[in-house]
Amino acid sequence: MKRTDRIAQPWGTRTPYPAGGQWPVRVDTHLEDGLDPGEVDRWVQTASILHSNGDALDIAVKDGRIAGVRGRAVDRVNRGRLGPKDLYGWQANSSPDRLTVPLIREGGKLVETDWDTAMDRVAGRTRELLAEQGASAIGFYTTGQLFAEEYYTLGILAHGGLGTNHVDGNTRLCTATAAAALKESFACDGQPGSYTDVDHADVIALYGHNMAETQTVLWARILDRLAGPNPPAIICVDPRATPVARAATVHLAPRPGTNVALMNGLLHEIIANDWVDHGYIEAHTVGFEDLVQQVKDYPPETVATICDVPADRIREAARLIGGAERLLSTVLQGFYQSNQATAAAVQVNNINIVRGMLGKPGCGILQMNGQPTAQNTREAGGDGDLPAFRNWSNDAHVQDLARVWNVDPMSIPHMSPPTHVMQMMRYAEEGSIRMLWVNGTNPAVSLPELGRVRSILSQERLFLVVQDIFLSETAQLADVVLPAATWGEKTGTFTNVDRTVHLSEKAVEPPGQARADLDIFLDYARRMDLKDKDGQPLVKWHDAESAFEAWKECTRGRPCDYTGLSYAKLRGGSGIQWPCNEDNPDGTERLYVDGKFWSAPDYCESYGRDLVTGAPMQAPEYKALNPEGRAIIRAAEYVPPHELPSEDFPFQLTTGRTLYQFHTRTKTGRALQLQAAAPEVWVEMSAADAGTYALAEGDLAEVTTPRGKVRAQVRVSGIRDGVLFLPFHYGYWDTPAGHEPDGAGRAANELTITDWDAASKQPLFKTAAARIRKVSGGEGPSKAPTNTASAPVSPIGWSTHGSPGSEADEDFSVTGGEA
Amino acid sequence: MKIGLALEELHRAENDLAQELLQVSERHKADHEIYHLGRDLAGWSHRHIRQIAEIGRNYGLDLDPEPESESAWAERIREKGAELLGRRSHAALLLLRDLREIYMKAAGVSADWDLLGQAAQGIKHTDLLDVAQRCHPDTLRQMHWAHAKLKEEATQILIS
């Protein structure tokens, strides 16, 4: 047993292990001050809700309150470990400013009311709009933080009940490109790889993926491999000096927005040196010739000019990738939120495909998610896709879903792709969406170009419903606010990046009158009197477990088959990876073993889209391209970003996250240790740029783009020259103005451009042209964390650490369960 | 031989398509995907115009390799107007008309590339065939884009 300051040491103590070995168990525990584990009343099983890794943990309950957490040694994902946000974030549940009563807007002000009044107002407005305009007037914008049961219920009531095509989740901002890239390459969503690939890989390439901060426990797994015998080589693509970059064998720091050129350069070298598996390509793929032709134009010298990366370093990275025997590739926001998002992420898939490195230990792709339940948003219909990876442009799939829901196929909108959130905002702007129901997310801080977003959300003619656990910036603009229960206060399941399904059980009662999101949706379905085609209630379940059983039936025979799972099976042991069914009763570690894909034309989820124009491919085209259901190699040309630096705006601005905060800080900003570790917005720039603009560590600077201004203290960091970085977490809920800037802004999205990837519809947060100027000298260094990507280039006199008494226990004596 | 005539017609049609894409882009600045993609895809036509002018020399033509352009001033006026107009619902109907126009014009250019490709094969002019084979797929993508956007937007605009 060891006490560790997990703010100062986010990844905890090393437990080295060799290639092919089993990751040792380390059980992390943090309980409220003075509470002894022996005094805990109950331990209640769940998994983490503040990132996408899916770390399994137990909640400690004391006197009906959440009093701490402990990692689950038995679980395949984390083998007992927890990250800082897991260890400290739970405190937000009992924050005194939780929403506990429904609110409605009266005379311009939000006032307390009862559930009947609030829900009648929502249902009443829905009925009015259905009568006046139809379902096209109504949109739903959900999150990546509810449970599978809730998304499935939302999907059926919106798609099958009301018949609107306007359903999306904030997963559009974090994970839409992961899904789109998998649909392009494999014609279906579903993570090919497994976290256990880290145990076997000899080369791990992280593309735009600062895993050390976004998935701390998975990074701890890599650090443990690096500390053990025969460690893997690490390749990092990132414009910032992240902890991943510092651990990398090769670090490529391309100019923002040039990822496709870089990837084409790597593929050029892999193909030119014939580091490809011709047998695999011949037997299991289509499209290789197109790729060969496309990447001919991208020799390393050309790419070096576009990306501003030395040609030799591109060669060195390609040589490592090309010589790998077990290659694991991971991708995240540096690609997903950047120019040509899907095209770039697809080229990562192409590397593993042409090298034949799929479906074997250590040979995997992890197209990552940002949020804990993003995978479920995608599976269950919360992002507007049809549930269980059914193909909206395949009539047989729509009919099959209509059978499951017992509705007429015509009542399920499928004439065009589901409306993504940026398009919904546009429809609200021009007045054809007149009711927007936002749940569990905060578009007034997280969407690009906030001035525009606020002007849309605060329109008189838009009826805005917000369902949340705090009075967020968005909730402050609402007409009706519904107080929701959260993690630990309700039961359900959710699925992490590598398809591991966890059960999350209710540990404590929600505060005041707050209700589970599922119960709110069920109440709405009842009030709307939604019926199936036989006049029976459309939504036939009444609680989480019955919803899970209905969801299982919907997945039968589909790629994300849950039929072999049950609450009983998920209780007690490790999480289980789907597909889990009669054929795979213990789940499935890796997809696409032996080159078998889900891409047959009549089975696949998607026919793909044009990587540049985003136009969906039609069925006949797809059938001609891929009649036998192979992996699809899709090539793409580099297209420069739409907003490039100029004389007025000489920098490229990228936004991102820090280890200690999550999203718009609704929870992490209310957890003492996390908020203290990253209390205030900062702007990063390189030492050379700081010199040029006469800025120093801690100076107050103003960053300007054509959309707005943000003031932040300067952190001189290891970021590449010509690039500024702002964390996007900092909105206004804890400032006097409440939901908008009072004077200078501090939300990074005041500055971002309204532009998105045409294929995935993911907004771009990594390429805006900006300028910076000094406002005043600093009264000390910036408060940005010092042990993450924001590390200062020279000592500033202090380093990030936790407060005494808030250390966590690390127990190395527990023996784990299964591998 | 009438290949010169066909090239002249294609040069005109590509210029026309590029103009249409740019104008539609500017008119719908508040529809950001239309705005950005319209400009990107006009760039493809500009690339074609240069290649048509170059190959045109083989057929005794003196075609302008630079796309026809309007003054930047007119462009800015239209963009500003589009931002203001962007909040009115009749802008949406205009969008359908504009996308339909792009679709029709791209279809015309596509047919022209087909004609030239057929002729080049018949007369075994491989340089011309290369140009047609390089450019025509772009035109089809421009056309598919306009078609897909049209289908995507039609429902909301016509039933709301």
Side-chain angles (χ1 to χ4, degrees):
Chain A
M1 189 79 85
K2 190 176 167 189
R3 302 272 291 166
T4 307
D5 176 354
R6 294 297 305 283
I7 296 294
Q9 297 179 57
W11 309 287
T13 304
R14 296 281 57 76
T15 52
Y17 72 120
Q22 198 185 57
W23 194 24
V25 168
R26 183 192 89 196
V27 174
D28 296 349
T29 306
H30 177 64
L31 300 178
E32 65 181 25
D33 215 9
L35 182 65
D36 186 84
E39 299 166 354
V40 170
D41 296 338
R42 286 181 297 133
W43 295 93
V44 180
Q45 179 179 349
T46 178
S48 52
I49 198 77
L50 290 169
H51 53 78
S52 67
N53 209 51
D55 301 332
L57 58 93
D58 290 322
I59 293 175
V61 180
K62 179 67 183 170
D63 301 331
R65 298 174 290 110
I66 297 180
V69 290
R70 180 179 69 194
R72 289 175 61 80
V74 71
D75 201 271
R76 60 175 302 279
V77 168
N78 53 322
R79 298 181 57 77
R81 288 164 192 76
L82 295 176
K85 288 200 283 271
D86 305 326
L87 291 166
Y88 304 110
W90 53 267
Q91 300 166 101
N93 274 46
S94 56
S95 180
D97 59 343
R98 280 286 299 272
L99 286 170
T100 56
V101 185
L103 308 173
I104 52 173
R105 191 165 294 276
E106 291 289 354
K109 283 212 173 77
L110 284 171
V111 297
E112 294 191 352
T113 186
D114 55 55
W115 272 103
D116 265 340
T117 309
M119 290 306 290
D120 277 343
R121 194 168 281 201
V122 176
R125 185 64 187 143
T126 311
R127 272 191 292 270
E128 275 170 23
L129 288 170
L130 286 176
E132 274 176 41
Q133 180 182 326
S136 68
I138 299 157
F140 293 88
Y141 184 44
T142 187
T143 176
Q145 295 163 58
L146 302 191
F147 296 161
E149 295 80 355
E150 294 167 330
Y151 296 129
Y152 184 56
T153 305
L154 174 63
I156 189 175
L157 72 83
H159 276 138
L162 303 180
T164 178
N165 205 21
H166 308 322
V167 182
D168 201 358
N170 70 1
T171 50
R172 188 64 56 189
L173 318 180
C174 74
T175 186
T177 300
L182 294 168
K183 289 177 190 173
E184 291 289 339
S185 300
F186 308 110
C188 190
D189 196 349
Q191 195 67 266
S194 166
Y195 287 169
T196 50
D197 288 330
V198 170
D199 306 345
H200 301 278
D202 63 344
V203 176
I204 304 177
L206 300 99
Y207 298 95
H209 182 193
N210 184 5
M211 185 194 282
E213 299 194 52
T214 53
Q215 289 88 13
T216 56
V217 169
L218 192 56
W219 182 243
R221 197 170 190 144
I222 292 184
L223 288 177
D224 285 343
R225 275 292 317 277
L226 291 174
N230 33 58
I234 305 290
I235 295 164
C236 170
V237 177
D238 202 309
R240 296 170 75 207
T242 62
V244 177
R246 290 196 285 269
T249 318
V250 181
H251 174 208
L252 306 170
R255 195 175 268 143
T258 64
N259 293 329
V260 167
L262 182 70
M263 295 310 299
N264 282 351
L266 293 174
L267 280 159
H268 176 278
E269 287 303 287
I270 288 166
I271 289 171
N273 289 289
D274 204 30
W275 292 320
V276 299
D277 183 338
H278 291 285
Y280 189 89
I281 292 170
E282 185 65 31
H284 303 302
T285 73
V286 296
F288 181 60
E289 257 323 297
D290 288 347
L291 183 70
V292 171
Q293 288 307 318
Q294 182 68 252
V295 303
K296 266 186 186 156
D297 299 337
Y298 297 87
E301 279 69 23
T302 306
V303 173
T305 315
I306 299 171
C307 304
D308 190 27
V309 170
D312 282 345
R313 210 171 293 171
I314 296 168
R315 287 201 182 84
E316 197 188 342
R319 189 179 48 76
L320 277 174
I321 293 168
E325 287 173 22
R326 290 173 304 279
L327 171 66
L328 173 63
S329 304
T330 79
V331 196
L332 198 61
Q333 308 307 6
F335 274 39
Y336 298 165
Q337 295 183 338
S338 190
N339 180 42
Q340 293 196 278
T342 308
V346 161
Q347 303 318 310
V348 177
N349 293 344
N350 285 345
I351 286 183
N352 277 70
I353 294 171
V354 302
R355 299 228 56 233
M357 296 217 173
L358 281 171
K360 294 178 287 192
C363 301
I365 298 169
L366 294 172
Q367 296 279 357
M368 300 299 291
N369 305 341
Q371 293 181 78
T373 76
Q375 190 59 47
N376 307 105
T377 319
R378 278 146 60 178
E379 291 163 12
D383 68 348
D385 280 345
L386 298 184
F389 300 158
R390 285 178 175 81
N391 186 342
W392 63 265
S393 51
N394 181 334
D395 283 342
H397 285 201
V398 178
Q399 275 163 23
D400 186 55
L401 181 62
R403 174 191 60 77
V404 174
W405 285 354
N406 196 36
V407 298
D408 187 310
M410 276 299 281
S411 62
I412 302 173
H414 61 282
M415 57 297 210
S416 61
T419 314
H420 58 97
V421 64
M422 298 304 290
Q423 188 63 50
M424 275 198 243
M425 294 302 286
R426 174 64 189 139
Y427 289 153
E429 183 175 41
E430 47 104 55
S432 68
I433 283 184
R434 297 154 69 188
M435 166 173 160
L436 185 64
W437 185 336
V438 176
N439 74 285
T441 188
N442 194 7
V445 180
S446 56
L447 288 183
E449 203 179 341
L450 290 182
R452 171 174 180 262
V453 170
R454 280 189 295 266
S455 84
I456 293 170
L457 293 179
S458 50
Q459 288 176 103
E460 196 76 15
R461 64 182 176 179
L462 178 71
F463 182 69
L464 182 66
V465 181
V466 175
Q467 175 177 332
D468 212 315
I469 65 172
F470 292 106
L471 194 68
S472 66
E473 289 83 345
T474 306
Q476 292 175 45
L477 298 170
D479 296 287
V480 177
V481 178
L482 305 173
T486 183
W487 171 90
E489 300 162 355
K490 61 180 186 177
T491 293
T493 55
F494 55 93
T495 306
N496 78 344
V497 171
D498 84 340
R499 293 171 282 105
T500 305
V501 185
H502 285 119
L503 176 65
S504 177
E505 301 223 59
K506 178 173 173 174
V508 300
E509 290 300 323
Q513 299 175 37
R515 285 185 184 172
D517 298 275
L518 178 66
D519 293 331
I520 297 172
F521 294 145
L522 292 174
D523 180 332
Y524 178 69
R526 269 192 306 274
R527 279 175 212 264
M528 289 305 299
D529 200 24
L530 300 176
K531 293 282 203 275
D532 69 10
K533 68 179 182 193
D534 297 324
Q536 298 303 307
L538 173 69
V539 183
K540 295 176 173 58
W541 45 94
H542 57 276
D543 64 3
E545 189 159 8
S546 56
F548 185 73
E549 290 300 314
W551 163 236
K552 277 166 59 179
E553 269 318 297
C554 185
T555 67
R556 187 176 293 278
R558 294 301 301 161
C560 53
D561 197 327
Y562 278 68
T563 50
L565 295 171
S566 65
Y567 277 19
K569 189 167 176 171
L570 290 168
R571 206 166 269 143
S574 170
I576 298 171
Q577 289 170 288
W578 64 246
C580 178
N581 50 21
E582 264 180 36
D583 293 341
N584 311 286
D586 300 319
T588 307
E589 190 166 27
R590 291 179 186 87
L591 304 183
Y592 309 146
V593 175
D594 298 329
K596 291 193 184 66
F597 300 96
W598 287 320
S599 55
D602 59 351
Y603 188 74
C604 68
E605 183 190 8
S606 167
Y607 302 135
R609 290 172 181 264
D610 187 305
L611 288 175
V612 173
T613 72
M617 233 173 157
Q618 305 296 314
E621 242 181 308
Y622 182 78
K623 281 177 187 156
L625 170 76
N626 193 21
E628 296 171 51
R630 297 173 170 203
I632 307 137
I633 297 172
R634 289 193 204 263
E637 70 264 40
Y638 164 66
V639 181
H642 292 129
E643 188 168 275
L644 288 166
S646 61
E647 215 170 291
D648 281 351
F649 301 101
F651 283 92
Q652 282 187 296
L653 170 71
T654 83
T655 73
R657 50 225 83 231
T658 182
L659 191 152
Y660 301 99
Q661 299 285 7
F662 182 66
H663 261 246
T664 58
R665 294 181 307 122
T666 40
K667 280 185 174 175
T668 51
R670 291 170 168 98
L672 184 68
Q673 296 86 347
L674 299 174
Q675 174 64 12
E680 202 23 277
V681 69
W682 70 91
V683 57
E684 278 171 48
M685 64 193 308
S686 74
D689 288 334
T692 307
Y693 287 82
L695 282 155
E697 171 74 35
D699 283 352
L700 182 64
E702 186 173 77
V703 183
T704 307
T705 72
R707 273 77 52 190
K709 293 180 197 307
V710 163
R711 285 188 179 187
Q713 272 188 292
V714 170
R715 164 56 49 86
V716 180
S717 77
I719 196 166
R720 63 162 285 143
D721 293 342
V723 181
L724 304 174
F725 171 89
L726 278 171
F728 85 109
H729 308 291
Y730 302 90
Y732 307 100
W733 60 261
D734 50 353
T735 69
H739 73 278
E740 61 188 352
D742 179 11
R746 74 164 180 174
N749 280 316
E750 304 292 345
L751 307 178
T752 42
I753 185 172
T754 303
D755 189 8
W756 55 85
D757 180 62
S760 68
K761 312 301 180 189
Q762 183 155 353
L764 308 183
F765 296 99
K766 306 287 191 190
T767 42
R771 67 170 168 254
I772 188 165
R773 73 172 180 91
K774 181 168 167 174
V775 176
S776 59
E779 291 162 16
S782 135
K783 297 179 187 71
T786 63
N787 53 352
T788 57
S790 56
V793 280
S794 42
I796 54 168
W798 59 273
S799 61
T800 296
H801 61 274
S803 48
S806 64
E807 296 90 353
D809 290 326
E810 296 179 317
D811 186 350
F812 306 91
S813 67
V814 187
T815 45
E818 59 201 90
Chain B
M1 190 175 75
K2 304 173 192 69
I3 288 179
L5 280 177
L7 275 171
E8 274 182 315
E9 167 54 22
L10 180 57
H11 184 263
R12 187 203 59 74
E14 283 279 17
N15 258 304
D16 195 27
L17 174 59
Q19 287 281 350
E20 184 71 28
L21 281 161
L22 287 177
Q23 286 173 13
V24 169
S25 161
E26 290 151 20
R27 265 203 292 277
H28 302 281
K29 206 179 176 203
D31 276 291
H32 295 81
E33 194 171 317
I34 306 286
Y35 175 69
H36 291 299
L37 261 295
R39 294 161 67 95
D40 288 348
L41 299 191
W44 294 3
S45 285
H46 291 165
R47 198 162 68 198
H48 296 176
I49 289 162
R50 280 191 288 278
Q51 296 188 39
I52 294 165
E54 199 178 301
I55 195 84
R57 283 194 227 116
N58 298 355
Y59 301 88
L61 299 174
D62 180 22
L63 299 169
D64 190 347
E66 290 306 313
E68 292 162 17
S69 70
E70 290 182 305
S71 73
W73 177 80
E75 185 178 314
R76 270 201 300 278
I77 295 289
R78 201 160 35 220
E79 281 186 16
K80 202 66 220 165
E83 280 173 54
L84 300 173
L85 193 70
R87 291 247 169 154
R88 300 254 193 81
S89 66
H90 60 253
L93 268 181
L94 186 65
L95 178 61
L96 290 185
R97 194 205 68 180
D98 282 346
L99 286 169
R100 183 179 179 282
E101 198 61 26
I102 293 173
Y103 177 64
M104 300 297 286
K105 286 188 170 167
V109 172
S110 168
D112 286 347
W113 280 119
D114 265 332
L115 301 182
L116 270 173
Q118 292 297 102
Q121 280 198 30
I123 201 166
K124 299 189 180 59
H125 284 190
T126 52
D127 288 356
L128 179 59
L129 189 61
D130 280 351
V131 173
Q133 283 177 343
R134 224 172 20 242
C135 297
H136 193 189
D138 295 340
T139 312
L140 292 173
R141 290 169 76 189
Q142 290 169 318
M143 193 169 102
H144 288 159
W145 173 72
H147 189 221
K149 292 310 290 180
L150 201 53
K151 284 173 74 172
E152 210 176 287
E153 298 282 351
T155 318
Q156 185 73 8
I157 293 174
L158 294 180
I159 70 178
S160 300

